[in-house]
Amino acid sequence: MWQSALAAHLSFRKGVGEVSGTTRRLSRELSRLRASHFGIAGGANGLFVAYLDYGEAQLRWIDSELAAATELAAEASEVEDPDMQLALLRLAGPRLEAAMMGSMLLAVWF
């Protein structure tokens, strides 16, 4: 049972790392677009500012879901019972999945 809990925890951490990398790249891209004189459209400065605002709001939501999932995973690593570890990781899973789907959608958008 310990091996199963450890494998699940390592897989979960890998997923968190992948989503974190994507959100860092998205944050840099949003900042670059915000600072650009050309905006998203290239010639229509300010035309898509509302979309940048929306993207930044979505990125904040993704970051909060990722933080909540990471906190649950950290709690799982401190529990001695492997069944309880797996239960906490199951609670964190939907949050990680939501953050992952959100980051994928936002990445496609940019």
Side-chain angles (χ1 to χ4, degrees), residues 29-42 45-46 49 52:
E29 188 66 20
L30 284 168
S31 295
R32 186 186 67 75
L33 286 171
R34 174 76 64 191
S36 171
H37 296 290
F38 298 110
I40 294 175
N45 190 17
V49 170
L52 285 174

Side-chain angles (χ1 to χ4, degrees), residues 22-28 30 53-65 103 106:
T22 301
T23 57
R24 282 191 301 273
R25 184 182 61 77
L26 288 169
S27 179
R28 284 191 306 269
L30 284 168
D53 294 340
Y54 178 77
E56 289 170 347
Q58 291 303 309
L59 189 57
R60 283 191 301 274
W61 177 84
I62 291 167
D63 285 338
S64 69
E65 289 297 311
S103 67
L106 201 55

Side-chain angles (χ1 to χ4, degrees), residues 2-110:
W2 282 102
Q3 292 173 339
S4 177
L6 179 62
H9 193 80
L10 291 174
S11 295
F12 190 87
R13 290 289 185 176
K14 183 178 178 186
V16 167
E18 290 176 8
V19 175
S20 293
T22 301
T23 57
R24 282 191 301 273
R25 184 182 61 77
L26 288 169
S27 179
R28 284 191 306 269
E29 188 66 20
L30 284 168
S31 295
R32 186 186 67 75
L33 286 171
R34 174 76 64 191
S36 171
H37 296 290
F38 298 110
I40 294 175
N45 190 17
L47 182 62
F48 291 101
V49 170
Y51 296 110
L52 285 174
D53 294 340
Y54 178 77
E56 289 170 347
Q58 291 303 309
L59 189 57
R60 283 191 301 274
W61 177 84
I62 291 167
D63 285 338
S64 69
E65 289 297 311
L66 193 58
T70 302
E71 187 175 328
L72 282 168
E75 293 294 326
S77 68
E78 295 176 10
V79 174
E80 291 183 22
D81 181 24
D83 287 330
M84 184 58 85
Q85 287 180 351
L86 289 172
L88 287 169
L89 289 174
R90 283 187 195 104
L91 286 174
R95 291 179 181 269
L96 178 60
E97 185 178 1
M100 191 176 289
M101 291 294 115
S103 67
M104 286 174 23
L105 288 171
L106 201 55
V108 169
W109 189 57
F110 281 103

